């Protein structure tokens, strides 16, 4: 493979990585900056509204502003967050229900349990973020970063070598 072709292939891979990084920043960082908190949907209780692996974005709102039909995120306990629809809003508590569930949730949601109202969601992205929590995925990310650094070094070396060859060839033409 010649140097120009190798350099172009390296450039394509690096451009793909940049596009992926920009997409991930738009999906995860920008919402955080403007006050949204992402939650990965881990059960089918809200199908068809949300599917397993979707990411729902919540934003803190006043408890009093919620109304029947709103979708909210709330703490069920210290380790569990739930995203369900407001079935009935009362002054001091909310009765919720998953769209796919036949019955209302057994536990009421109080103001202290409320995380926020869901404003939008991104399908499937949660599968990616869940996968990144696995050790094997972290190893793959490190390998990709190392390969990218290696490709950048190789591209730089190929470019310097090509410039040196061009300078050498132009000097030899002048002296002949």
């Amino acid at each position: 493979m010649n140097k120009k072709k190798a350099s172009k292939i390296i450039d394509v891979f690096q451009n793909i990585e940049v596009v992926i990084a920009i997409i991930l920043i738009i999906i995860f960082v920008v919402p955080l900056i403007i006050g949204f908190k992402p939650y990965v949907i881990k059960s089918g209780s809200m199908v068809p509204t949300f599917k397993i692996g979707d990411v729902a974005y919540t934003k803190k709102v006043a408890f009093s502003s919620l109304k029947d039909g709103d979708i909210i995120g709330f703490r069920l306990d210290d380790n569990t967050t739930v995203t369900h629809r407001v079935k009935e809003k009362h002054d001091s508590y909310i009765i919720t229900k998953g769209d796919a569930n036949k019955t209302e949730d057994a536990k009421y949601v109080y103001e202290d349990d409320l995380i926020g109202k869901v404003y939008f969601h991104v399908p499937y992205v949660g599968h990616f973020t869940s996968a990144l929590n696995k050790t094997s995925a972290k190893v793959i990310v490190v390998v990709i970063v190392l390969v990218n650094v290696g490709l950048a070094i190789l591209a730089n070396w190929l470019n310097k070598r090509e410039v040196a060859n061009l300078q050498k060839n132009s000097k030899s033409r002048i002296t002949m």
Side-chain angles (χ1 to χ4, degrees), residues 12-23:
V12 167
F13 278 113
Q14 289 178 329
N15 287 337
I16 290 170
E17 288 175 347
V18 167
V19 168
I20 290 170
I22 290 169
I23 290 169

Side-chain angles (χ1 to χ4, degrees), residues 37-41 50 54-58 83 118-122:
K37 188 166 182 179
Y39 289 93
V40 177
I41 303 299
F50 304 126
D54 291 357
V55 175
Y57 290 85
T58 63
T83 303
V118 175
Y119 282 90
F120 64 97
H121 78 284
V122 179

